Amino acid sequence: YCTLCPRRCGANRLSGEKGVCRTGKRAEVSSYQPHFGEEAPLVGVHSSGTIFFTHCNLFCIFCQNYEISHQGIGNPVSGRQLAEMMIRLQERGCHNINLVTPSHVAPQILLAIEIASKMGLYVPLIYNTSGYDSIETLRLLDGIIDIYMPDFKFWDSKVSEKACKAGDYSQ
C-alpha cells in the first residue's frame, strides 16, 4: 500500500502493481554517470556521481527530463545492481552519489545503500528531489542521506495543480 509520496496512491508495488509514478517493485534507472551539471560545491574537481531514476511522482508539464520522467526511458535494476552503480561512480572518483528524482524509489535506494555500504561505499549521498516528498519518507532517510537538494517549484497551489495536478505541493 504505497504512501511514499503525497499522492498516497495505495498501489501494492510489492505484488507488481504500479503506482501513480508508474513504478513497481524495482527501481528503474535511466543512466548513471559522472556529472558536472550540478552546483559547483557538489561537482568539485571530479564530478557528482549521478543516478537518474526513471519516472517521477510529480509529472511537471515543463519537465527538462521528459523522456526519463514521462516516457519512462530506463531499465529496472535490483538492489545489488543499484549498489554496484554507486560503487562504480565512487571508484571513478566522483565526490558523492547524487540520487536524481528519488522520491518514488526510496525503499529501493535504502536497500542499495545497505548493500553498497558493505561493499565499501563511503562518499556522501545527495537526495536530489523535486520537493514533492512525504514527511514519513524523509524520516526514513534521516541519518542516511547527507545532503538534501530539493528543487522547490511552487508556492501557489493553483499553479502546482495546473502544472502537475499536485495542488498540495507547497503544504
PDB file of all heavy atoms in Angstrom, residues 120-145:
ATOM      1  N   GLY A 120      31.833  -1.080   0.627  1.00  0.00           N
ATOM      2  CA  GLY A 120      32.818  -0.015   0.810  1.00  0.00           C
ATOM      3  C   GLY A 120      32.377   1.380   0.420  1.00  0.00           C
ATOM      4  O   GLY A 120      33.210   2.284   0.310  1.00  0.00           O
ATOM      5  N   LEU A 121      31.084   1.607   0.213  1.00  0.00           N
ATOM      6  CA  LEU A 121      30.613   2.955  -0.126  1.00  0.00           C
ATOM      7  C   LEU A 121      30.881   3.900   1.040  1.00  0.00           C
ATOM      8  O   LEU A 121      30.532   3.604   2.178  1.00  0.00           O
ATOM      9  CB  LEU A 121      29.116   2.936  -0.437  1.00  0.00           C
ATOM     10  CG  LEU A 121      28.511   4.273  -0.867  1.00  0.00           C
ATOM     11  CD1 LEU A 121      29.034   4.676  -2.251  1.00  0.00           C
ATOM     12  CD2 LEU A 121      26.993   4.198  -0.879  1.00  0.00           C
ATOM     13  N   TYR A 122      31.521   5.023   0.747  1.00  0.00           N
ATOM     14  CA  TYR A 122      31.827   5.985   1.806  1.00  0.00           C
ATOM     15  C   TYR A 122      31.574   7.440   1.413  1.00  0.00           C
ATOM     16  O   TYR A 122      31.610   8.330   2.261  1.00  0.00           O
ATOM     17  CB  TYR A 122      33.282   5.830   2.276  1.00  0.00           C
ATOM     18  CG  TYR A 122      34.298   6.086   1.179  1.00  0.00           C
ATOM     19  CD1 TYR A 122      34.723   7.371   0.865  1.00  0.00           C
ATOM     20  CD2 TYR A 122      34.815   5.029   0.446  1.00  0.00           C
ATOM     21  CE1 TYR A 122      35.634   7.595  -0.142  1.00  0.00           C
ATOM     22  CE2 TYR A 122      35.734   5.240  -0.559  1.00  0.00           C
ATOM     23  CZ  TYR A 122      36.142   6.526  -0.842  1.00  0.00           C
ATOM     24  OH  TYR A 122      37.048   6.740  -1.859  1.00  0.00           O
ATOM     25  N   VAL A 123      31.324   7.713   0.146  1.00  0.00           N
ATOM     26  CA  VAL A 123      31.119   9.104  -0.280  1.00  0.00           C
ATOM     27  C   VAL A 123      29.741   9.588   0.179  1.00  0.00           C
ATOM     28  O   VAL A 123      28.833   8.785   0.416  1.00  0.00           O
ATOM     29  CB  VAL A 123      31.272   9.277  -1.811  1.00  0.00           C
ATOM     30  CG1 VAL A 123      32.702   8.992  -2.250  1.00  0.00           C
ATOM     31  CG2 VAL A 123      30.278   8.435  -2.572  1.00  0.00           C
ATOM     32  N   PRO A 124      29.567  10.899   0.319  1.00  0.00           N
ATOM     33  CA  PRO A 124      28.266  11.442   0.734  1.00  0.00           C
ATOM     34  C   PRO A 124      27.155  11.118  -0.257  1.00  0.00           C
ATOM     35  O   PRO A 124      27.384  10.968  -1.454  1.00  0.00           O
ATOM     36  CB  PRO A 124      28.511  12.961   0.783  1.00  0.00           C
ATOM     37  CG  PRO A 124      29.989  13.123   0.872  1.00  0.00           C
ATOM     38  CD  PRO A 124      30.584  11.946   0.167  1.00  0.00           C
ATOM     39  N   LEU A 125      25.934  11.041   0.263  1.00  0.00           N
ATOM     40  CA  LEU A 125      24.747  10.756  -0.535  1.00  0.00           C
ATOM     41  C   LEU A 125      23.893  12.010  -0.647  1.00  0.00           C
ATOM     42  O   LEU A 125      23.601  12.654   0.358  1.00  0.00           O
ATOM     43  CB  LEU A 125      23.933   9.641   0.114  1.00  0.00           C
ATOM     44  CG  LEU A 125      24.678   8.318   0.304  1.00  0.00           C
ATOM     45  CD1 LEU A 125      23.871   7.370   1.166  1.00  0.00           C
ATOM     46  CD2 LEU A 125      25.000   7.690  -1.046  1.00  0.00           C
ATOM     47  N   ILE A 126      23.483  12.327  -1.871  1.00  0.00           N
ATOM     48  CA  ILE A 126      22.659  13.506  -2.139  1.00  0.00           C
ATOM     49  C   ILE A 126      21.277  13.050  -2.588  1.00  0.00           C
ATOM     50  O   ILE A 126      21.149  12.213  -3.488  1.00  0.00           O
ATOM     51  CB  ILE A 126      23.290  14.388  -3.235  1.00  0.00           C
ATOM     52  CG1 ILE A 126      24.670  14.871  -2.788  1.00  0.00           C
ATOM     53  CG2 ILE A 126      22.375  15.568  -3.577  1.00  0.00           C
ATOM     54  CD1 ILE A 126      25.431  15.606  -3.855  1.00  0.00           C
ATOM     55  N   TYR A 127      20.253  13.609  -1.978  1.00  0.00           N
ATOM     56  CA  TYR A 127      18.858  13.321  -2.327  1.00  0.00           C
ATOM     57  C   TYR A 127      18.354  14.511  -3.129  1.00  0.00           C
ATOM     58  O   TYR A 127      17.926  15.519  -2.586  1.00  0.00           O
ATOM     59  CB  TYR A 127      18.062  13.131  -1.036  1.00  0.00           C
ATOM     60  CG  TYR A 127      16.740  12.431  -1.182  1.00  0.00           C
ATOM     61  CD1 TYR A 127      16.686  11.067  -1.410  1.00  0.00           C
ATOM     62  CD2 TYR A 127      15.553  13.130  -1.061  1.00  0.00           C
ATOM     63  CE1 TYR A 127      15.465  10.413  -1.520  1.00  0.00           C
ATOM     64  CE2 TYR A 127      14.330  12.484  -1.164  1.00  0.00           C
ATOM     65  CZ  TYR A 127      14.294  11.120  -1.396  1.00  0.00           C
ATOM     66  OH  TYR A 127      13.092  10.470  -1.498  1.00  0.00           O
ATOM     67  N   ASN A 128      18.425  14.397  -4.453  1.00  0.00           N
ATOM     68  CA  ASN A 128      18.137  15.471  -5.402  1.00  0.00           C
ATOM     69  C   ASN A 128      16.691  15.330  -5.864  1.00  0.00           C
ATOM     70  O   ASN A 128      16.399  14.656  -6.831  1.00  0.00           O
ATOM     71  CB  ASN A 128      19.123  15.352  -6.564  1.00  0.00           C
ATOM     72  CG  ASN A 128      19.097  16.511  -7.501  1.00  0.00           C
ATOM     73  OD1 ASN A 128      18.151  17.290  -7.529  1.00  0.00           O
ATOM     74  ND2 ASN A 128      20.132  16.628  -8.315  1.00  0.00           N
ATOM     75  N   THR A 129      15.781  15.975  -5.160  1.00  0.00           N
ATOM     76  CA  THR A 129      14.354  15.734  -5.285  1.00  0.00           C
ATOM     77  C   THR A 129      13.592  16.910  -5.882  1.00  0.00           C
ATOM     78  O   THR A 129      14.054  18.047  -5.832  1.00  0.00           O
ATOM     79  CB  THR A 129      13.784  15.380  -3.899  1.00  0.00           C
ATOM     80  OG1 THR A 129      12.374  15.311  -3.953  1.00  0.00           O
ATOM     81  CG2 THR A 129      14.161  16.404  -2.854  1.00  0.00           C
ATOM     82  N   SER A 130      12.398  16.621  -6.382  1.00  0.00           N
ATOM     83  CA  SER A 130      11.509  17.664  -6.902  1.00  0.00           C
ATOM     84  C   SER A 130      10.864  18.456  -5.762  1.00  0.00           C
ATOM     85  O   SER A 130      10.193  19.448  -6.002  1.00  0.00           O
ATOM     86  CB  SER A 130      10.402  17.033  -7.747  1.00  0.00           C
ATOM     87  OG  SER A 130       9.538  16.266  -6.924  1.00  0.00           O
ATOM     88  N   GLY A 131      11.036  17.997  -4.546  1.00  0.00           N
ATOM     89  CA  GLY A 131      10.423  18.653  -3.394  1.00  0.00           C
ATOM     90  C   GLY A 131       9.029  18.132  -3.090  1.00  0.00           C
ATOM     91  O   GLY A 131       8.379  18.604  -2.165  1.00  0.00           O
ATOM     92  N   TYR A 132       8.571  17.130  -3.843  1.00  0.00           N
ATOM     93  CA  TYR A 132       7.245  16.556  -3.606  1.00  0.00           C
ATOM     94  C   TYR A 132       7.432  15.245  -2.841  1.00  0.00           C
ATOM     95  O   TYR A 132       7.343  14.157  -3.392  1.00  0.00           O
ATOM     96  CB  TYR A 132       6.512  16.341  -4.921  1.00  0.00           C
ATOM     97  CG  TYR A 132       5.021  16.134  -4.780  1.00  0.00           C
ATOM     98  CD1 TYR A 132       4.239  16.984  -4.023  1.00  0.00           C
ATOM     99  CD2 TYR A 132       4.396  15.085  -5.428  1.00  0.00           C
ATOM    100  CE1 TYR A 132       2.865  16.799  -3.912  1.00  0.00           C
ATOM    101  CE2 TYR A 132       3.018  14.896  -5.330  1.00  0.00           C
ATOM    102  CZ  TYR A 132       2.264  15.755  -4.561  1.00  0.00           C
ATOM    103  OH  TYR A 132       0.904  15.564  -4.446  1.00  0.00           O
ATOM    104  N   ASP A 133       7.751  15.387  -1.569  1.00  0.00           N
ATOM    105  CA  ASP A 133       8.092  14.265  -0.708  1.00  0.00           C
ATOM    106  C   ASP A 133       7.164  14.210   0.498  1.00  0.00           C
ATOM    107  O   ASP A 133       6.704  15.252   0.974  1.00  0.00           O
ATOM    108  CB  ASP A 133       9.527  14.414  -0.188  1.00  0.00           C
ATOM    109  CG  ASP A 133      10.535  14.477  -1.315  1.00  0.00           C
ATOM    110  OD1 ASP A 133      10.785  13.427  -1.921  1.00  0.00           O
ATOM    111  OD2 ASP A 133      11.072  15.568  -1.583  1.00  0.00           O
ATOM    112  N   SER A 134       6.940  13.022   1.000  1.00  0.00           N
ATOM    113  CA  SER A 134       6.171  12.908   2.236  1.00  0.00           C
ATOM    114  C   SER A 134       7.128  13.000   3.426  1.00  0.00           C
ATOM    115  O   SER A 134       8.287  12.572   3.342  1.00  0.00           O
ATOM    116  CB  SER A 134       5.396  11.595   2.287  1.00  0.00           C
ATOM    117  OG  SER A 134       6.256  10.518   2.583  1.00  0.00           O
ATOM    118  N   ILE A 135       6.639  13.540   4.502  1.00  0.00           N
ATOM    119  CA  ILE A 135       7.448  13.654   5.724  1.00  0.00           C
ATOM    120  C   ILE A 135       7.865  12.268   6.203  1.00  0.00           C
ATOM    121  O   ILE A 135       9.003  12.062   6.636  1.00  0.00           O
ATOM    122  CB  ILE A 135       6.648  14.399   6.830  1.00  0.00           C
ATOM    123  CG1 ILE A 135       6.351  15.835   6.392  1.00  0.00           C
ATOM    124  CG2 ILE A 135       7.377  14.366   8.157  1.00  0.00           C
ATOM    125  CD1 ILE A 135       7.558  16.695   6.146  1.00  0.00           C
ATOM    126  N   GLU A 136       6.968  11.291   6.099  1.00  0.00           N
ATOM    127  CA  GLU A 136       7.275   9.926   6.556  1.00  0.00           C
ATOM    128  C   GLU A 136       8.450   9.328   5.787  1.00  0.00           C
ATOM    129  O   GLU A 136       9.328   8.696   6.373  1.00  0.00           O
ATOM    130  CB  GLU A 136       6.046   9.012   6.412  1.00  0.00           C
ATOM    131  CG  GLU A 136       4.854   9.416   7.246  1.00  0.00           C
ATOM    132  CD  GLU A 136       3.975  10.507   6.619  1.00  0.00           C
ATOM    133  OE1 GLU A 136       4.205  10.891   5.442  1.00  0.00           O
ATOM    134  OE2 GLU A 136       3.063  10.985   7.305  1.00  0.00           O
ATOM    135  N   THR A 137       8.473   9.539   4.490  1.00  0.00           N
ATOM    136  CA  THR A 137       9.578   9.018   3.679  1.00  0.00           C
ATOM    137  C   THR A 137      10.877   9.725   4.026  1.00  0.00           C
ATOM    138  O   THR A 137      11.921   9.091   4.159  1.00  0.00           O
ATOM    139  CB  THR A 137       9.258   9.146   2.172  1.00  0.00           C
ATOM    140  OG1 THR A 137       8.078   8.380   1.903  1.00  0.00           O
ATOM    141  CG2 THR A 137      10.398   8.655   1.318  1.00  0.00           C
ATOM    142  N   LEU A 138      10.812  11.030   4.208  1.00  0.00           N
ATOM    143  CA  LEU A 138      12.025  11.768   4.589  1.00  0.00           C
ATOM    144  C   LEU A 138      12.547  11.309   5.944  1.00  0.00           C
ATOM    145  O   LEU A 138      13.758  11.234   6.154  1.00  0.00           O
ATOM    146  CB  LEU A 138      11.750  13.273   4.587  1.00  0.00           C
ATOM    147  CG  LEU A 138      11.468  13.877   3.213  1.00  0.00           C
ATOM    148  CD1 LEU A 138      11.062  15.334   3.341  1.00  0.00           C
ATOM    149  CD2 LEU A 138      12.661  13.712   2.283  1.00  0.00           C
ATOM    150  N   ARG A 139      11.652  10.962   6.851  1.00  0.00           N
ATOM    151  CA  ARG A 139      12.078  10.439   8.165  1.00  0.00           C
ATOM    152  C   ARG A 139      12.821   9.109   8.020  1.00  0.00           C
ATOM    153  O   ARG A 139      13.750   8.836   8.776  1.00  0.00           O
ATOM    154  CB  ARG A 139      10.883  10.290   9.092  1.00  0.00           C
ATOM    155  CG  ARG A 139      10.423  11.602   9.652  1.00  0.00           C
ATOM    156  CD  ARG A 139       9.348  11.417  10.728  1.00  0.00           C
ATOM    157  NE  ARG A 139       8.911  12.719  11.196  1.00  0.00           N
ATOM    158  CZ  ARG A 139       7.659  13.120  11.216  1.00  0.00           C
ATOM    159  NH1 ARG A 139       6.670  12.312  10.843  1.00  0.00           N
ATOM    160  NH2 ARG A 139       7.353  14.326  11.635  1.00  0.00           N
ATOM    161  N   LEU A 140      12.403   8.274   7.074  1.00  0.00           N
ATOM    162  CA  LEU A 140      13.097   7.004   6.832  1.00  0.00           C
ATOM    163  C   LEU A 140      14.547   7.235   6.408  1.00  0.00           C
ATOM    164  O   LEU A 140      15.415   6.407   6.668  1.00  0.00           O
ATOM    165  CB  LEU A 140      12.397   6.204   5.735  1.00  0.00           C
ATOM    166  CG  LEU A 140      11.064   5.575   6.048  1.00  0.00           C
ATOM    167  CD1 LEU A 140      10.464   4.962   4.784  1.00  0.00           C
ATOM    168  CD2 LEU A 140      11.202   4.516   7.129  1.00  0.00           C
ATOM    169  N   LEU A 141      14.780   8.350   5.748  1.00  0.00           N
ATOM    170  CA  LEU A 141      16.107   8.658   5.220  1.00  0.00           C
ATOM    171  C   LEU A 141      16.995   9.407   6.211  1.00  0.00           C
ATOM    172  O   LEU A 141      18.194   9.560   5.972  1.00  0.00           O
ATOM    173  CB  LEU A 141      15.961   9.489   3.945  1.00  0.00           C
ATOM    174  CG  LEU A 141      15.143   8.832   2.835  1.00  0.00           C
ATOM    175  CD1 LEU A 141      14.819   9.842   1.749  1.00  0.00           C
ATOM    176  CD2 LEU A 141      15.860   7.628   2.275  1.00  0.00           C
ATOM    177  N   ASP A 142      16.403   9.866   7.303  1.00  0.00           N
ATOM    178  CA  ASP A 142      17.137  10.652   8.297  1.00  0.00           C
ATOM    179  C   ASP A 142      18.333   9.864   8.832  1.00  0.00           C
ATOM    180  O   ASP A 142      18.196   8.712   9.238  1.00  0.00           O
ATOM    181  CB  ASP A 142      16.198  11.044   9.445  1.00  0.00           C
ATOM    182  CG  ASP A 142      16.834  12.026  10.403  1.00  0.00           C
ATOM    183  OD1 ASP A 142      17.660  12.854   9.961  1.00  0.00           O
ATOM    184  OD2 ASP A 142      16.518  11.959  11.604  1.00  0.00           O
ATOM    185  N   GLY A 143      19.497  10.487   8.799  1.00  0.00           N
ATOM    186  CA  GLY A 143      20.712   9.842   9.277  1.00  0.00           C
ATOM    187  C   GLY A 143      21.420   9.019   8.211  1.00  0.00           C
ATOM    188  O   GLY A 143      22.505   8.500   8.452  1.00  0.00           O
ATOM    189  N   ILE A 144      20.804   8.891   7.042  1.00  0.00           N
ATOM    190  CA  ILE A 144      21.402   8.115   5.945  1.00  0.00           C
ATOM    191  C   ILE A 144      21.837   9.046   4.820  1.00  0.00           C
ATOM    192  O   ILE A 144      22.949   8.946   4.314  1.00  0.00           O
ATOM    193  CB  ILE A 144      20.407   7.057   5.425  1.00  0.00           C
ATOM    194  CG1 ILE A 144      20.109   6.064   6.552  1.00  0.00           C
ATOM    195  CG2 ILE A 144      20.957   6.345   4.192  1.00  0.00           C
ATOM    196  CD1 ILE A 144      18.938   5.177   6.308  1.00  0.00           C
ATOM    197  N   ILE A 145      20.949   9.959   4.446  1.00  0.00           N
ATOM    198  CA  ILE A 145      21.258  10.937   3.401  1.00  0.00           C
ATOM    199  C   ILE A 145      22.072  12.072   4.018  1.00  0.00           C
ATOM    200  O   ILE A 145      21.755  12.557   5.098  1.00  0.00           O
ATOM    201  CB  ILE A 145      19.950  11.474   2.767  1.00  0.00           C
ATOM    202  CG1 ILE A 145      19.158  10.343   2.107  1.00  0.00           C
ATOM    203  CG2 ILE A 145      20.240  12.601   1.790  1.00  0.00           C
ATOM    204  CD1 ILE A 145      19.861   9.639   0.960  1.00  0.00           C
TER     205      ILE A 145
END
